[in-house]
């Protein structure tokens, strides 16, 4: 039976295809669309790989964090400190601070440490998650050296009013509730979403740090989270659009006891985040103007009763302003130019008083359509100035072209940079560490080239793509002890990364049945050049081999999902490695009508084979666990 | 008679049956000694009868501490004795700070694991792990057949010495001393403990009467005392690293000077007190073979090395060596100074051996682990 679907399998979203249909033709006025980032991503990421986690994966991780969703997504390497713990993303063998994270077009990474914790970002909040791989993301600014994770909402005006509520219960004290209310008219749309989540994470695990690997119960790993998002989109007139969003959240996490500690940990971290964005778009006959404003406020309090000063209070504020104009030149070509001013300030126990900096950037992109829309070339330039210091101009050049109606070749080359974060520069000098105000930005080159085959029929589609990538980064900032043992950051190492991504996906529909799936494999060789034991060795926590796959089968109101991921062996110091692991997650669900309302009930089994594994050394990960979700939509 | 000797005093701490060692040596000579071709690690645990155990702290949180062994008669260093004996997936623990032995067992003090790992000292095979009341342990000695272990305890708790039965692994007494109990030494039938301040501040040395397991005397010294040596006249020298005080904003509001304090071993009176302000928070102290010269410096603050005669009335102005070792120790037979070098905590360190003039005699680069700090000597 299944073979029937396989042989007719065909393409859906290959990495590049997501936005492909729009690369080659300029649409006059796109007032229907209200999302802010999508235009730049769609029109100017020519030649780059952009992938959206499959809907089956989003469904599987709907009540969880982006950390769990992205760990199952293609080619994404997550470094996760235990269940619900700090989780950061690296792409294509880059470091975790080489991937930017944009929410409604605003870079929401902390100016203090250049990081963001994906465990605090709930999947239910973002209607659109996209991963842009490689250095083509340089147009989005500092830190986007190996890619960007884009988080956006959905278009609201003209959508029917609706309300949905979802409740999930699971193993080890997991409980989550979320609800959203969408109202509006053709000209105005509003959505309010709230969510709550709690977990004890008191799961059993085999303590591999002890002889005989005895089973123990995880301690001090619970968490509580609540938050909300309120967004409005208003078409003021035929030419103007105004959008706003306010997002707040509170995350209270006990930091998981390391399995090597025979005493229960007592550390805790609370994150309070507030993000506000306000955007205005004006559509003229020959293009459109976008004005963006964003305010990000983060407070992280780390407490450890075992420290002399048991609390460490870290506060940061970013105020982002951006203006860009896109000028259409006929049906195939366009130019986009803009400026960005960002003010960043931070106050921390780690600094002497508060610190701040002003960042000014200008960027321009030109797109040349070819062969009547069959192909396109894009050249982007960006220059940034920090507190009066001008950084070198960076650029990205991308090209792609279709042939034989089913194939497309694409490629991209870029020069990238990352300015030091505030901790690198301004960490106060004490007995053990000192920031280094003289640090230079990291800079490098990256490039990729690939070929995509796609076929789309009436009831089936398939896609195959292969991409090779390489990058070279110099002056990588590392903290090392020197000058009397103090840890100080220096522009010390150079990194070289090479790899291959291969994707196969298919989707088939027959009668009331649908089968779709994807397999994605990444080979990454990522080495540091340095004068010590790490020289020419694979970078720590970067696996050489990584594979993810997912498959969804649905028939009538029934659906089932199976997602697998394999992560190869990784170094965690100069000689020791963590074992490779293969994890399977599965879900079955049923949609039905309940008192006239649409209901969806599902059971998820995560870590189906009950695999014991570690993502970061000595942080136990949950064994097989279950989740039951009921979702009702009005 | 084979003896294990503690690094600081050179006193004989314990010993055991030479026949067992001979047997082990024969066994090892016959059945091991193969070299892994993939790297330079030598997996032969070697002959522990004559040589030096190097305790490598490892990086905090990574649980990659290890024990290396430098045999007296070979140039090869044996790496990772615990893994060699217990398998590639065996884990010694997090931040190894000390090791003592009783009879056929060795006890490894693991600070961040909050445990004491017990191994068979013939072959380093795992025997047991002492946990429970062990919390933030630092150093240990063996006296009168019992293990005396200093520990900081949890924040808010007073530092303490746990008295542990070496055979049933139970804690037979807990002696509260002072904040951040750290260095420990048996001197003339009493047990001296340096209260280093731990998470905060302290400036005392506690002297424990082991008969009653109680503190019978507390002596005020410099701020944050670390450890002791005893000179040829029986005087006790205490190194205090000084205290740095921060305000709410972590601004340094007060920084006190390090001191080298001499205490008369009989009257317990302070007879000399050297302020060592320009020596940047040294934490390591050891004494020459003839017990007439003190070496101090090093530690996590990156201080250089100084040498001072116990008969001097002032400190020298010049350094003994510009190395900034993480740990130092004098070889009880050769009198050479062993320096554990920890360039950082992400890669292996090395051991540099200096003669008593400060000239480099030897360097061991291979098979030393991350953060070498303590040396335990084993004689024939």
């Amino acid at each position: 039976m299944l073979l029937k679907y396989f042989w007719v399998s065909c393409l859906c979203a290959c990495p590049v295809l997501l936005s492909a249909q729009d690369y080659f033709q300029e649409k006059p006025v796109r007032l229907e669309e209200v999302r802010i980032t999508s235009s730049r991503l769609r029109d100017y990421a020519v030649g780059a790989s952009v992938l959206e986690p499959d809907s089956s994966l989003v469904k599987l991780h709907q009540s969880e964090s982006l950390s769990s969703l992205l760990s199952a997504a293609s080619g994404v390497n997550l470094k996760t400190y235990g269940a619900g713990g700090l989780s950061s993303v690296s792409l294509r063998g880059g470091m975790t601070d080489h991937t930017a994270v944009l929410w409604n077009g605003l870079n929401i990474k902390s100016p203090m440490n250049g990081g963001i914790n994906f465990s605090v970002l709930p999947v239910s909040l973002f209607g659109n998650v996209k991963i842009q791989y490689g250095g083509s993301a340089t147009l989005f600014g500092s830190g986007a050296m190996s890619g960007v994770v884009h988080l956006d909402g959905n278009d609201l005006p003209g959508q029917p009013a609706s309300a949905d509520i979802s409740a999930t219960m699971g193993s080890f004290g997991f409980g989550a509730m979320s609800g959203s209310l969408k109202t509006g008219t053709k000209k105005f749309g509003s959505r309010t979403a709230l969510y709550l989540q709690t977990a004890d994470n008191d799961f059993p695990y085999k303590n591999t740090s002890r002889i005989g690997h005895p089973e123990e119960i995880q301690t001090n790993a619970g968490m509580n989270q609540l938050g909300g998002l309120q967004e409005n989109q208003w078409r003021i007139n035929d030419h103007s659009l105004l959008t706003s969003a306010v997002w707040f959240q509170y995350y209270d996490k006990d930091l998981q006891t390391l399995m090597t500690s025979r005493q229960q940990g007592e550390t805790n971290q609370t994150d309070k985040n507030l993000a506000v964005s306000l955007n205005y778009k004006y559509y003229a006959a020959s293009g459109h103007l976008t004005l963006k404003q964003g305010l990000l406020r983060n407070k992280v309090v780390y407490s450890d009763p075992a420290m002399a000063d048991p609390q460490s209070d870290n506060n940061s504020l970013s105020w982002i302003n951006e203006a860009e104009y896109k000028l259409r030149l006929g049906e195939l070509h366009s130019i986009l130019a803009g400026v960005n001013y960002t003010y960043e300030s931070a106050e921390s126990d780690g600094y002497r008083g508060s610190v701040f900096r002003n960042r000014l950037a200008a960027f321009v992109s030109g797109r040349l359509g070819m062969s009547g829309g069959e192909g396109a070339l894009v050249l982007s330039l960006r220059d940034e100035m920090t507190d009066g210091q001008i950084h070198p101009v960076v650029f990205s050049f991308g090209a792609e072209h279709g042939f034989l109606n089913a194939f497309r070749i694409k490629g991209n080359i870029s020069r990238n940079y990352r300015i030091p974060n505030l901790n690198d520069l301004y960490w106060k000098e004490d007995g053990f560490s000192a920031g280094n105000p003289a640090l230079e930005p990291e800079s490098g080159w990256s490039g990729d080239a690939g070929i995509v085959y796609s076929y789309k029929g009436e009831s089936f589609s398939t896609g195959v793509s292969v991409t090779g990538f390489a990058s070279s980064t110099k002056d990588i900032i590392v903290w090392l002890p020197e000058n009397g043992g103090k840890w100080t950051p220096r522009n010390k190492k150079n990194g070289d990364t090479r790899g291959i991504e291969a994707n196969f996906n298919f989707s088939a529909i027959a009668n009331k049945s649908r089968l779709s799936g994807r397999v994605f494999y990444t080979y990454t060789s990522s080495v540091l050049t340095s004068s010590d034991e790490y020289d020419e060795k694979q970078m720590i926590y970067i696996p050489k081999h990584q594979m993810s796959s997912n498959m969804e089968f649905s028939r009538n109101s029934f659906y089932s999902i199976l997602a697998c991921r394999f992560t190869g062996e990784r170094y965690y110091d100069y000689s020791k490695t963590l074992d490779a692991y293969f994890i399977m997650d599965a879900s079955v669900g049923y949609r039905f009508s309940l008192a006239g309302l649409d209901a969806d009930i599902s059971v998820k089994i995560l870590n189906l084979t009950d695999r014991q594994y570690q993502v970061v050394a000595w942080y136990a990960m949950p064994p097989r666990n279950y989740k039951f979700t009921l979702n009702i939509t009005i | 008679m084979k003896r294990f000797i503690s690094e600081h005093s050179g006193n004989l701490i314990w010993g055991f049956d030479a026949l067992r060692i001979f047997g082990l040596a024969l066994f090892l000579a016959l059945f091991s000694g193969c070299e892994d071709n993939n790297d330079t690690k030598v997996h032969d645990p070697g002959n522990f009868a004559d040589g030096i155990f190097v305790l490598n702290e490892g990086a905090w949180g990574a649980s990659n501490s290890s024990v290396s062994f430098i045999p007296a008669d070979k140039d090869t260093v044996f790496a990772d004795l615990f893994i060699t004996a217990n398998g590639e997936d065996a884990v010694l623990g997090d931040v190894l700070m000390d090791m003592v032995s009783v009879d056929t067992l060795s006890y490894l003090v693991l600070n961040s694991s909050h445990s004491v790992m017990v191994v068979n000292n013939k072959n380093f095979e795992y025997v047991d792990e002492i946990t429970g009341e062990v919390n933030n342990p630092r150093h240990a000695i063996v006296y009168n057949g019992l293990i005396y272990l200093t520990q900081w305890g949890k924040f808010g708790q007073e530092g303490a010495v746990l008295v542990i039965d070496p055979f049933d692994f139970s804690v037979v007494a807990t002696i509260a001393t002072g904040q951040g109990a750290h260095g420990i030494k048996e001197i003339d039938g009493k047990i001296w403990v340096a209260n280093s301040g731990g998470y905060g501040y302290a400036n005392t040395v506690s002297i424990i009467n082991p008969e009653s397991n109680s503190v019978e005397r507390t002596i005020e010294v410099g701020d944050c005392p670390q450890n002791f040596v005893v000179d040829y006249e029986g005087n006790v020298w205490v190194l205090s690293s000084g205290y740095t005080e921060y305000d709410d904003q972590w601004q340094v509001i007060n920084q006190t000077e390090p001191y080298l304090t001499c205490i008369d071993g009989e009257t317990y009176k302070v007879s000399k007190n050297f302020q060592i302000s320009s020596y940047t928070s040294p934490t390591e102290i050891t004494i020459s073979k003839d017990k007439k010269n003190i070496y101090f410096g090093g530690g996590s603050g990156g201080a250089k090395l100084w040498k001072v005669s116990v008969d001097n009335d002032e400190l020298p102005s010049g350094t003994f060596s510009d190395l900034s070792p993480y740990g130092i120790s004098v070889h009880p037979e050769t009198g050479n100074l062993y320096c554990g070098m920890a360039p950082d905590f992400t890669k292996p360190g090395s051991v540099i051996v200096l003669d008593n003039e400060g000239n480099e005699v030897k360097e061991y680069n291979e098979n030393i682990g991350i953060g070498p700090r303590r040396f335990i000597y084993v004689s024939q």
Side-chain angles (χ1 to χ4, degrees), chain B residues 263-285:
Chain B
I263 300 167
D264 188 298
E266 287 178 5
T267 63
Y268 299 111
K269 291 275 186 328
V270 173
S271 58
K272 286 180 190 173
N273 207 12
F274 296 135
Q275 182 179 318
I276 45 179
S277 56
S278 55
Y279 298 68
T280 59
S281 300
T283 60
E284 307 303 298
I285 182 170

Side-chain angles (χ1 to χ4, degrees), chain A residues 209-211 213 260-263 266 305-309 349 352 428 430 480-481 484 532-534 573-574 618, chain B residues 61-64 89 91 113-114 126 129 131-132 134-135 154-155 199 246 250-251 301-302 343-344 346-348 370:
Chain A
S209 83
R210 299 189 90 149
I211 298 290
H213 299 180
T260 52
S261 173
R262 309 299 176 239
Q263 293 284 343
E266 293 178 346
M307 300 299 284
D309 192 337
D349 296 337
R352 296 202 187 283
K428 74 171 163 48
D430 57 24
L480 291 171
D532 57 29
E533 285 70 11
Y534 292 86
D573 71 10
Y574 70 97
W618 312 120
Chain B
S63 280
N64 51 10
D89 66 344
V91 179
S113 293
H114 306 289
Y126 168 85
E129 191 177 4
T131 59
V134 180
N135 194 317
K154 280 186 187 179
F155 180 67
Y199 310 109
Y246 300 95
W250 282 94
Q251 303 271 10
D344 67 41
T346 60
K347 59 178 187 253
I370 293 175

Side-chain angles (χ1 to χ4, degrees), chain A residues 249-288:
Chain A
Q249 68 175 6
Y250 172 79
Y251 191 77
D252 178 1
K253 174 83 179 85
D254 291 334
L255 303 181
Q256 182 166 330
T257 309
L258 284 172
M259 62 170 77
T260 52
S261 173
R262 309 299 176 239
Q263 293 284 343
Q264 179 173 333
E266 293 178 346
T267 48
N268 173 277
Q269 183 173 316
T270 55
D271 293 46
K272 291 177 190 167
N273 312 102
L274 174 71
V276 180
S277 80
L278 188 67
N279 300 293
Y280 174 77
K281 248 183 174 178
Y282 180 80
Y283 294 84
S286 60
H288 63 254

Side-chain angles (χ1 to χ4, degrees), chain B residues 121-141:
Chain B
N121 57 25
K122 286 190 295 185
N123 51 20
F124 256 71
E125 271 180 13
Y126 168 85
V127 174
D128 209 329
E129 191 177 4
I130 306 172
T131 59
E133 290 173 62
V134 180
N135 194 317
N136 223 324
R138 314 294 291 188
H139 291 284
I141 58 165

Side-chain angles (χ1 to χ4, degrees), chain A residues 61 69 110-111 134 168 314 366 380 390 414 435 439 446 489-490 509 584:
Chain A
H61 297 281
L69 172 66
S110 160
T168 303
N314 304 282
S380 298
I390 298 177
S414 61
L439 284 174
S446 71
R490 297 272 172 207
I509 301 167
M584 294 169 80

